[in-house]
């Protein structure tokens, strides 16, 4: 079997692993090999998006949501990967995590990491390209509208994401 | 101390008790203290939460679900684990002639294969309590009993090998050898079926005197079987038939069908097992709604003393669930994990992917319901005849109970003087169905709420007006036997009638229907029992010297908020929330020494009809909370309050509990120094006073109660077992009950211990006549929960139920037989659950009715709130396009076909 030396940045830490199967799914690398089980496995065919992480090509690059259950590790070679375990900074929860808590957004919580990471990418997008206030709901639907949650009916996820967008300076245009 | 298998057998022989052998651990909130991320306080003061007690763990991605754990994470386990794939038959019409893995590449071949012949040779016992059908693997030379029945356990060295092999075995190869074709066996009814005959005569006498035949008088009936009471019931059947044929009433007759549904909890079932041969201990880690049943199942499998595997202790770890919805209540997954653990070299893991979860997981029964609804010319319901057949598939599971609840809910929220209900679960060759949110009632709700709408059209009446004339009022007897209808039904009808969507629906239909788009409004109202009619709860409330409270219970949290709710339940009595909730615990409660048997043992102060129930049926707010409150009361009255008296220097009866109250974490008494809970707790521990209380509580229409004497004071308490702990010890003193008011099977039946809640839904849809697409565009969701414990969690249940209801009405569908999930070809690309875009986000108003009184109970709501959604949508579709769909889901294709038909 052909193998590769995998090098990437994972939650601000350099990760180098030899003899990695290039086809190994990123979800298995995280959950099985590294024991980072915050990223979930839901459907395995990139539909439910519970397995979403954020990926940047280069520092400062756009954050893109990536579905780890079908993504081979070779696709993230040299890239910067952020998982739910890397969201909190300097001992403080990310505003999205706080908002998800305070809005009672999730119930069983299994979909929460996927929603968090996709919303995290949305904030990055809006920071680069702010939108008018009346486009927020559309932007949220665009970012997480395909995510599956069986418990919540989505309502409180959307409310939380909306609140964070409004509370974060620079994401919404004044017009 | 762990109880051994031999003790288990001995106890079983003597008392028939269900014994649980395991130690349960919590992998929950308290495990995260000391993490690098600062955990904000989840509490918002006594009795209120800022967020879920388990929220921090969930939002930071901690290991809390069964799927997250590996052998290396568990103390004392060997580091490496094998991984097992369960090979399943995709046919049932041929003899199984063994498996052929010759085409599997050498590097993907399993290390070991276990078949039914191995199980038989090694003395694996049938787990009779929950899986009495046995045949956990198909024996060579027999046809599978049902589609998807496992044929072999394949052991692989690691996950990646298993995944690669699984992919080939499921999608590329044909590893199961088919023999001769067989004649498919006939379907049969899982007994007992549920038959309900209800006859109330007209007349001026009080209701009780007019009741001529009722379910609650004399137990269940089977009209076609011998016996005096059955003969009377058959006369009732004939009477109702005659009345229906009399021509005096408007009849609405129809056959309604609902589909096979997957609970689709997000975390596919997974677990770890390890049989420690030296210690003769079977370790299991599973995410389950029924930990006690799973542990008991494991014990039963290895109870044959002459068998190959010596298991004396079951060490069971229950995890937080990535969803449940009933689908993890008595799931046979535990059987396969236990077997895999026994045959493995060391630790073993079973980790379903979504295809396997669809292929093997418990489903909601497809149902066929023949219904005849009779209404007089004044719009008064006169009779209902319903015959419901639920496809239970190939394993009995909980099907007969689901059919029972379907029967119980067959008359909906209405009063019928005459009712003839037959509800049956049928064994078929399809995959097994069992518990799922709504539990039989959701299917019947579709039938009756569609039928009522059809009746309103026939009678040219307003459909809510017709409902309002017939809904039960609080406290009225229910035609299917339960004594008390819930509040809120009339009020919901009234509110919905007054809502713009309903009062202006014809006008809206005109203005909102444009081009191919048709607009319609529908309504449905339901009630559903919460609890099982025989609910059994254990809990323990303990306080440490620092004043920190811990609640321990056998409940598990499916995401429904049980952990948070129970943490809040101590506040009103002990002045503070519990800071730790230990779920899925069993072992501790052995100290109560309760004995379970169906036969009453009135002289035995430790007898109870039922020891445990699984986490289901919307019972946290009503049943578990009661039990926690009772332990809290005892802890306060016999432990903390006497300690406070001592600190205040008060003796005897000079101060009563009624004259003190909690404020800001301090116990306040007029004219005395406020005492912090911490100070009281420290003193209680120092003085060896009571610092922990456990109880067992049993409910069937009312709580079992008895007199309990502690330190010379006797109090009557609504629990059926009680024990106390003093100081920091681990030993509990049992306080035997006296003068109990007990329940028997007969009294439970006569009293019919069901309690109900009510919910309704008003919804607007658009239907695209060209494409057939239906969209929910607006709605109102009504609920009468009684006392609200945490509003955000109640609303969360409403939101989730609405989306699930949309899925049931419009999207979710599995073929029940050969093309269905047992093929291993089903996943979320074909099985569509509601997404945000399907759920009219932000357009569904939630109306939570005020409690009917200050003492209103907190009702179980998670099931009832689902049931009106799908029928309301179906009724709205009919309003929009004047076509009635009696078959769920209402897909775009069905709409197109129906409209094509109506045009031609």
């Amino acid at each position: 079997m052909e193998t590769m030396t995998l090098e990437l940045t994972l939650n601000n830490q350099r990760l180098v692993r030899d003899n990695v199967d290039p086809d190994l799914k990123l979800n298995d690398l995280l959950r099985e090999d590294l024991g980072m089980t915050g990223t979930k496995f839901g459907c395995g065919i990139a539909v439910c998006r519970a397995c979403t992480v954020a990926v940047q090509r280069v520092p400062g690059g756009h954050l893109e949501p990536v579905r780890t259950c079908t993504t081979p590790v070779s696709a993230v070679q040299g890239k910067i990967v952020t998982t739910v375990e890397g969201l909190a900074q300097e001992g403080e929860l990310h505003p999205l995590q706080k908002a998800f808590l305070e809005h009672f957004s999730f119930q069983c919580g299994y979909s929460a990491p996927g929603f968090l990471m996709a919303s995290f990418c949305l904030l990055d997008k809006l920071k680069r390209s702010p939108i008018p206030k009346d486009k927020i709901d559309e932007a949220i639907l665009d970012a997480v509208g395909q995510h599956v949650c069986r418990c919540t009916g989505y309502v409180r996820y959307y409310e939380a994401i909306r609140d964070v967008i409004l509370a974060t300076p620079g994401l919404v245009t004044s017009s | 101390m762990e109880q051994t298998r031999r003790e288990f057998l001995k106890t079983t022989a003597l008392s028939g008790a269900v014994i649980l052998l395991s130690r349960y651990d919590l992998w929950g909130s308290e495990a995260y203290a000391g993490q690098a991320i600062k955990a904000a306080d989840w509490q918002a003061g006594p009795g209120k939460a800022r967020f879920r007690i388990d929220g921090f763990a969930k939002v930071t991605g901690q290991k809390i679900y069964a799927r997250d754990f590996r052998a290396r994470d568990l103390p004392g386990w060997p580091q490496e684990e094998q991984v097992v794939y369960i090979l399943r038959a995709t046919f049932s019409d041929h003899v199984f002639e063994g498996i052929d893995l010759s085409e599997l590449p050498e590097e993907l071949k399993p290390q070991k294969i276990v078949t039914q012949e191995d199980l038989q040779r090694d003395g694996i016992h049938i787990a009779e309590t929950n899986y009495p059908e046995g045949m956990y693997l198909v024996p060579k030379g027999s046809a599978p009993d049902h589609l998807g029945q496992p044929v072999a356990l394949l052991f692989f060295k690691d996950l990646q090998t298993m995944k690669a092999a699984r992919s080939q075995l499921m999608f590329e190869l044909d590893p199961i050898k088919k023999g001769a074709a067989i004649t498919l066996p006939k379907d049969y009814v899982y007994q007992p079926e549920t038959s309900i005959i209800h006859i109330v005569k007209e007349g001026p006498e009080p209701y009780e005197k007019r009741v001529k035949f009722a379910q609650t008088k004399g137990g269940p009936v089977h009209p076609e079987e011998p016996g005096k009471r059955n003969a009377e019931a058959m006369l009732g059947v004939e009477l109702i038939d005659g009345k229906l044929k009399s021509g005096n009433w408007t009849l609405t007759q129809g056959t309604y069908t609902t589909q096979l549904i997957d609970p689709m909890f997000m975390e596919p079932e997974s677990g770890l097992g390890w049989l420690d041969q030296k210690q003769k201990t079977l370790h299991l880690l599973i995410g389950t709604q029924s930990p006690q049943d799973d542990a008991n199942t494991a014990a039963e499998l290895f109870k044959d003393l002459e068998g190959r595997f010596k298991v004396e202790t079951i060490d069971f770890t229950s995890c937080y669930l990535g969803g449940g919805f009933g689908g993890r209540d008595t799931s046979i997954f535990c059987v396969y994990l236990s077997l895999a653990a026994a045959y493995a070299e060391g630790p073993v893991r079973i980790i379903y992917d979504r295809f396997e979860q669809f292929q093997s997981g418990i489903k909601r029964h497809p149902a066929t319901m023949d219904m005849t609804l009779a209404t007089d010319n004044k719009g008064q319901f006169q009779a209902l005849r319903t015959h419901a057949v639920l496809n239970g598939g190939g394993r009995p599971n909980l099907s007969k109970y689901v059919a029972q609840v379907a029967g119980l809910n067959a008359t909906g929220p209405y009063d019928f003087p005459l009712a003839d209900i037959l509800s049956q679960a049928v064994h078929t060759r399809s995959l097994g169905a069992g518990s799922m949110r709504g539990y039989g009632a959701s299917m019947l709700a579709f039938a009756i709420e569609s039928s009522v709408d059809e009746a309103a059209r026939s009678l040219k009446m307003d459909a809510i007006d017709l409902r309002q004339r017939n809904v039960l009022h609080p406290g009225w007897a229910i035609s299917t036997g339960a004594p008390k209808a819930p509040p809120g039904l009339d009020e919901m009808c009234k509110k919905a009638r007054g809502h713009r969507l309903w009062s202006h629906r014809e006008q809206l239909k005109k203005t909102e229907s444009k081009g191919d788009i048709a607009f319609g409004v529908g309504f449905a109202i339901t009630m559903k029992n919460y609890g099982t009619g025989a609910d059994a709860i254990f809990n323990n409330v303990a306080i440490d010297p620092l004043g920190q409270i811990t609640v321990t219970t056998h409940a598990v949290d499916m995401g429904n908020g049980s952990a948070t709710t129970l943490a809040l339940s101590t506040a009103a009595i002990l002045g503070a929330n519990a800071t730790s909730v230990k779920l899925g615990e069993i072992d501790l409660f052995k100290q109560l020494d309760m004995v379970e048997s169906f036969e009453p043992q009135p002289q035995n102060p430790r007898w109870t009809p039922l020891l445990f129930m699984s986490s289901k049926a919307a019972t946290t707010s009503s049943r578990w909370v009661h039990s926690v409150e009772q332990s809290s009361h005892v802890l306060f009255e016999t432990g903390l309050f006497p300690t406070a008296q001592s600190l205040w220097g008060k003796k005897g009866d000079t101060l009563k509990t009624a004259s003190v109250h909690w404020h800001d974490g301090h116990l306040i008494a007029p004219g005395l120094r406020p005492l912090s809970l911490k100070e009281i707790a420290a003193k209680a521990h120092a003085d060896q006073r009571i610092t922990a209380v456990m109880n067992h509580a049993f409910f069937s229409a009312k709580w079992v109660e008895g007199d309990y004497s502690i330190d010379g004071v006797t109090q009557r308490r609504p629990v059926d077992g009680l024990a106390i702990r003093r100081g920091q010890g681990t030993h509990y003193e049992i306080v035997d009950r006296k003068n109990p008011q007990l329940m028997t099977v007969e009294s439970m039946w006569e009293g019919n211990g069901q309690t109900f809640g009510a919910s309704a839904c008003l919804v607007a849809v658009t239907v695209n006549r060209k494409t057939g697409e239906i969209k929910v565009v607006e709605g109102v969701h009504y609920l009468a929960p009684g006392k609200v414990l945490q509003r955000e969690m109640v609303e969360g249940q409403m939101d989730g139920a609405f989306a699930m209801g949309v899925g049931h009405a419009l999207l979710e569908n599995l073929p029940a037989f050969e093309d269905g999930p047992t093929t291993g070809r089903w996943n979320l690309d074909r099985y569509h659950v509601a997404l945000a875009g399907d759920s009219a986000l932000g357009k569904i108003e939630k109306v939570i009715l005020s409690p009917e009184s200050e003492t209103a109970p907190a009702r179980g709501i998670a099931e009832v709130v689902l049931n009106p959604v799908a029928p309301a949508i179906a009724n709205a579709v009919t309003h929009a396009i004047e076509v009635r769909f009696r078959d769920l889901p209402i897909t775009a294709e069905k709409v197109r076909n129906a409209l094509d038909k109506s045009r031609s």
Side-chain angles (χ1 to χ4, degrees):
Chain A
M1 182 180 72
E2 188 189 337
T3 61
M4 67 182 285
T5 297
L6 179 69
E7 293 185 49
L8 55 87
T9 303
L10 178 60
N11 295 338
N12 294 324
Q13 302 277 319
R14 191 87 186 130
L15 179 77
V16 180
R17 287 173 85 85
D18 292 326
N19 300 318
V20 176
D21 176 359
D23 291 331
L24 178 73
K25 299 296 180 275
L26 181 53
N27 193 267
D28 281 344
L29 174 79
L30 294 168
R31 292 183 56 85
E32 302 299 328
D33 294 1
L34 303 176
M36 294 172 61
T37 54
T39 302
K40 300 307 178 199
F41 175 93
C43 67
I45 56 168
V47 173
C48 79
R49 305 186 187 220
C51 64
T52 301
V53 299
V55 175
Q56 281 172 299
R57 195 169 64 80
V58 292
H62 292 255
L63 279 169
E64 296 292 342
V66 165
R67 285 161 264 172
T68 60
C69 70
T70 53
T71 302
V73 291
S74 56
V76 293
Q77 174 75 336
K79 294 183 180 174
I80 300 162
V81 177
T82 306
T83 71
V84 67
E85 290 96 336
L87 264 189
Q89 295 294 318
E90 297 173 4
E92 287 290 331
L93 293 177
H94 188 277
L96 283 165
Q97 290 172 305
K98 286 183 185 170
F100 277 27
L101 282 173
E102 288 168 3
H103 280 267
F104 288 73
S105 293
F106 52 85
Q107 292 175 26
C108 85
Y110 200 79
S111 298
F115 273 94
L116 279 168
M117 300 319 297
S119 313
F120 181 59
C121 295
L122 173 63
L123 298 190
D124 178 72
K125 187 177 168 186
L126 298 183
K127 199 171 162 188
R128 296 165 194 276
S129 309
I131 55 171
K133 195 174 171 183
D134 63 0
K135 297 285 183 196
I136 291 177
D137 290 342
E138 204 178 299
I140 297 172
L141 197 61
D142 188 44
V144 296
Q146 297 302 309
H147 284 240
V148 173
C149 170
R150 190 59 153 168
C151 293
T152 66
Y154 309 98
V155 174
R156 290 172 173 273
Y157 275 128
Y158 279 60
E159 287 173 357
I161 298 166
R162 186 184 169 82
D163 271 13
V164 174
I165 291 170
L166 287 171
T168 307
L171 305 189
V172 178
T173 55
S174 49
S175 58
Chain B
M1 192 183 107
E2 301 288 357
Q3 188 161 4
T4 67
R5 178 166 60 115
R6 285 169 186 80
E7 285 166 328
F8 159 56
L9 292 170
K10 189 175 155 194
T11 315
T12 301
L14 289 174
S15 68
V18 174
I19 303 296
L20 297 142
L21 314 176
S22 50
R23 171 177 59 79
Y24 292 68
D25 288 324
L26 171 77
W27 301 90
S29 56
E30 66 169 7
Y32 305 103
Q35 291 283 319
I37 307 165
K38 190 176 153 197
D41 190 355
W42 63 273
Q43 302 178 74
K48 288 290 162 201
R50 272 182 63 215
F51 53 84
R52 291 169 183 272
I53 192 171
D54 50 347
F56 184 80
K58 289 178 174 177
V59 86
T60 52
Q62 306 284 350
K63 281 183 198 289
I64 57 170
Y65 307 101
R67 201 177 185 89
D68 296 341
F69 289 95
R70 303 284 301 273
R72 65 185 181 227
D73 297 317
L74 301 172
W77 286 43
Q79 298 287 294
E80 299 301 321
E81 70 224 0
Q82 288 179 292
V83 182
V84 160
Y85 168 63
I86 303 173
L87 189 62
R88 297 170 192 277
T90 53
F91 59 87
S92 68
D93 54 353
H94 286 73
V95 169
F96 165 65
E97 291 291 5
I99 62 173
D100 176 6
L101 303 181
S102 59
E103 288 189 57
L104 202 60
E106 206 53 40
E107 68 274 16
L108 298 184
K109 287 223 169 20
Q111 295 174 314
K112 181 186 281 188
I113 299 169
V114 170
T115 64
Q116 180 67 18
E117 289 68 37
D118 296 310
L119 308 189
Q120 281 166 353
R121 183 195 62 227
D122 295 333
I124 300 296
H125 202 272
I126 291 173
E128 284 155 350
T129 307
N130 289 309
Y131 310 99
E133 67 279 14
M135 294 297 170
Y136 302 127
L137 300 171
V138 183
K140 198 172 162 182
S142 304
D145 183 61
H146 60 275
L147 296 163
Q149 189 176 2
V151 299
L153 306 181
L154 310 185
F155 290 68
F156 295 90
K157 63 178 182 179
D158 57 35
L159 180 69
Q160 295 306 326
T161 310
M162 184 282 283
K163 284 177 69 174
R166 178 175 66 188
S167 175
Q168 295 208 13
L169 293 168
M170 283 186 86
F171 299 108
E172 294 171 33
L173 305 177
D174 191 11
I176 300 177
K177 291 193 282 186
K178 269 186 189 178
I182 61 151
T183 305
L184 288 171
K186 283 190 176 171
D187 298 341
Y188 58 87
V189 174
Y190 286 120
Q191 294 294 345
E193 62 190 19
T194 295
S195 183
I196 296 170
I197 307 298
H198 182 75
I199 298 171
V200 179
K201 277 181 63 175
E202 287 180 60
E205 300 96 338
Y207 180 87
E208 272 304 311
K209 292 202 168 169
R210 291 188 285 119
V211 175
K212 295 301 167 194
F213 197 94
Q215 196 65 6
T216 47
K217 293 183 178 172
V221 292
H222 302 285
E224 291 173 6
E225 292 179 13
K228 185 168 173 260
R229 186 168 150 76
N230 288 338
E232 282 177 39
M234 184 49 91
L235 288 176
V237 170
E238 288 164 1
L239 172 82
I240 293 169
D241 187 59
K243 293 254 185 186
L244 289 173
K245 287 174 176 161
S246 67
N248 294 332
W249 298 328
T250 299
L251 301 187
T252 310
Q253 292 176 290
T255 298
Y256 303 87
T257 54
T258 57
Q259 72 274 46
L260 183 70
I261 285 176
D262 192 290
M264 233 311 289
F265 43 79
M266 291 299 295
E267 178 201 13
E269 285 175 274
S270 311
L272 284 167
W274 172 40
L275 176 56
D276 181 348
Q277 311 256 15
K278 270 189 194 163
Q279 300 297 323
K280 298 178 181 172
T281 296
L282 176 61
H283 301 268
L284 295 169
L285 178 145
I286 308 182
T288 169
Q289 287 175 243
S290 47
Q292 66 279 7
D293 285 305
D294 287 12
N296 197 42
T297 293
E300 286 183 305
L301 289 171
F302 305 109
K303 72 192 270 188
D304 184 347
L305 299 176
E306 304 306 315
R308 174 179 163 191
F309 302 105
K310 312 299 178 196
V311 178
E312 295 187 351
T313 304
I314 308 289
D315 174 21
F316 196 101
T317 300
S318 153
C319 300
Y320 271 95
L321 305 180
F325 312 111
R328 298 188 204 237
D329 185 359
T330 329
S331 164
I332 200 167
F333 179 84
C334 65
V335 168
Y336 296 108
L337 185 64
S338 301
L339 294 174
Y343 284 94
E345 304 302 321
V348 69
R349 189 178 183 205
I350 299 181
I351 176 166
Y352 287 170
D353 68 6
R354 182 61 60 186
F355 291 104
E356 290 174 283
Q357 186 62 46
F358 271 106
Q359 191 182 34
S360 64
I362 290 169
K363 303 288 184 280
R364 184 196 293 293
H365 301 75
T368 302
M369 296 152 285
D370 289 322
M371 186 170 274
T372 303
L373 170 70
T375 315
D376 68 15
N377 57 12
K378 293 174 188 157
Q380 214 62 50
F381 293 163
Q382 294 298 332
L384 183 78
R385 183 167 63 196
T386 298
H387 181 186
V389 178
L390 279 55
N391 176 356
R395 291 198 182 277
N397 198 262
L398 299 170
S399 282
K400 65 184 176 187
Y401 304 109
V402 177
Q404 195 177 51
V405 173
L408 179 71
N409 287 278
T411 51
Y414 307 110
D415 185 36
F416 286 94
L418 302 172
D420 172 4
I421 311 294
L422 176 62
S423 181
Q424 298 170 310
V426 177
H427 175 285
T428 72
R429 69 185 190 285
S430 75
L431 179 63
S435 170
M436 188 185 162
R437 187 184 201 179
Y439 207 87
S442 61
M443 296 84 109
L444 269 296
F446 170 64
I448 193 156
E449 284 305 281
S450 298
S451 195
V452 170
D453 240 47
E454 291 189 49
R457 284 176 166 255
S458 300
L459 295 160
K460 299 192 178 354
M461 286 183 69
D462 177 295
I464 300 184
D465 179 23
L466 177 61
R467 288 177 168 90
Q468 207 170 356
R469 287 165 191 255
N470 290 284
V471 287
L472 294 156
H473 289 259
W476 283 18
I478 298 168
S479 304
T480 51
K484 282 185 184 172
L489 294 164
D490 182 64
E491 189 179 349
M492 287 177 198
C493 287
K494 196 173 164 191
K495 281 183 185 293
R497 282 184 84 175
H499 194 280
R500 168 186 56 83
L501 276 179
W502 190 259
S503 60
H504 290 71
R505 67 191 183 286
E506 297 307 331
Q507 192 183 334
L508 285 166
K509 184 175 172 178
K510 281 181 191 156
T511 56
E512 300 298 317
S513 297
K514 291 164 190 163
D516 290 324
I517 300 297
F519 179 93
V521 179
F523 177 78
I525 185 163
T526 58
M527 64 182 199
K528 163 133 192 3
N529 59 311
Y530 59 92
T532 66
D535 301 326
I537 314 292
F538 278 114
N539 92 88
N540 183 66
V541 176
I543 192 162
D544 73 10
L546 298 173
Q548 302 286 303
I549 299 166
T550 296
V551 170
T552 307
T553 171
H554 61 105
V556 296
D557 194 325
M558 290 178 267
N560 52 340
S562 297
T564 310
T565 302
L566 296 181
L568 301 176
S569 301
T570 59
I573 301 148
L574 300 177
N577 302 322
T579 50
S580 174
V581 177
K582 296 188 175 184
L583 302 176
E585 172 77 30
I586 294 294
D587 197 52
L588 178 68
F589 302 113
K590 287 177 188 160
Q591 299 214 37
L592 269 168
D593 198 27
M594 302 287 289
V595 174
E596 175 192 80
S597 69
F598 289 120
E599 287 303 312
Q601 301 174 24
Q603 304 309 316
N604 182 348
R606 298 178 193 175
W607 169 75
T608 185
L610 187 67
L611 277 172
F612 295 102
M613 64 187 286
S614 54
S615 290
K616 62 182 172 188
T619 43
T620 302
S621 59
S622 54
R623 309 294 188 254
W624 258 279
V625 166
H626 166 89
S627 183
V628 170
E629 287 177 345
Q630 291 309 312
S631 284
S632 301
H633 277 302
V634 177
L635 177 57
F636 181 73
E637 291 162 21
T638 66
L640 302 188
F641 182 67
T643 305
Q645 284 180 303
S646 161
L647 285 164
W648 281 321
K650 295 283 180 185
K651 287 183 182 170
D653 287 342
T654 55
L655 195 61
K656 304 280 188 194
T657 53
S659 58
V660 300
H661 67 277
W662 292 101
H663 179 72
D664 198 19
H666 290 72
L667 192 63
I668 309 294
L672 296 169
R673 176 174 68 89
L675 298 174
S676 72
L677 181 59
K678 188 176 172 181
E679 182 182 357
I680 299 169
K683 177 76 171 159
H685 275 270
D687 292 353
Q688 289 297 300
R689 289 186 187 272
I690 293 166
T691 55
V693 177
M694 71 170 69
N695 76 57
H696 181 263
F698 181 80
F699 181 90
S700 182
K702 57 191 175 187
W703 294 99
V704 166
E705 59 181 43
D707 291 334
Y708 295 89
S709 299
I710 300 172
D711 296 338
V713 179
T714 300
Q715 277 278 353
R716 193 150 187 87
R717 299 185 186 278
V719 295
D720 76 345
L722 189 68
I724 55 168
R725 186 198 73 189
R726 296 178 196 271
Q728 296 230 56
T730 54
H731 172 69
Y732 280 74
E733 302 164 26
I734 295 174
V735 185
D736 276 330
R737 68 178 179 233
K738 290 174 186 158
N739 310 316
Q741 187 176 37
L742 297 173
M743 288 179 194
T744 62
V745 172
E746 290 74 25
S747 71
M748 280 190 271
W749 188 263
E750 299 273 330
N752 194 321
Q754 302 291 351
T755 47
F756 286 76
S759 178
C761 186
L762 177 63
V763 71
V765 302
T766 58
V767 184
N768 186 318
R769 290 176 180 275
K770 204 170 184 179
T771 65
E773 185 195 13
I774 300 166
K775 273 194 85 65
V776 177
V777 293
E778 194 179 346
V780 191
H781 204 174
Y782 302 91
L783 178 66
K787 182 182 174 186
V788 172
L789 301 176
Q790 181 79 28
R791 191 176 180 93
E792 294 89 340
M793 294 203 293
V794 172
E795 289 188 353
Q797 289 295 320
M798 297 178 79
D799 295 333
F802 190 86
M804 192 178 273
V806 171
H808 288 12
L810 304 177
L811 303 168
E812 298 178 47
N813 196 16
L814 289 166
F817 295 102
E818 273 73 7
D819 295 331
T822 53
T823 56
R825 297 288 188 276
W826 282 82
N827 202 326
L828 292 175
D829 56 336
R830 302 171 70 190
Y831 187 84
H832 300 297
V833 298
L835 298 173
D838 299 309
S839 311
L841 226 57
K843 302 282 188 186
I844 308 300
E845 185 187 343
K846 292 181 280 280
V847 176
I848 295 176
L849 269 53
S850 302
E852 66 277 14
S853 71
E854 283 187 5
T855 56
R859 297 187 174 84
I861 53 107
E863 295 199 282
V864 67
V865 76
L866 167 69
N867 291 350
V869 180
I873 292 171
N875 289 338
V877 171
T878 300
H879 182 232
I881 58 173
E882 302 297 332
V883 177
R884 169 67 57 184
F885 293 91
R886 290 174 169 168
D887 176 39
L888 291 184
I890 309 172
T891 61
E893 186 185 2
K894 283 184 194 169
V895 172
R896 288 196 305 270
N897 290 343
L899 289 173
D900 284 350
K901 202 173 160 191
S902 66
R903 283 188 204 109
S904 59

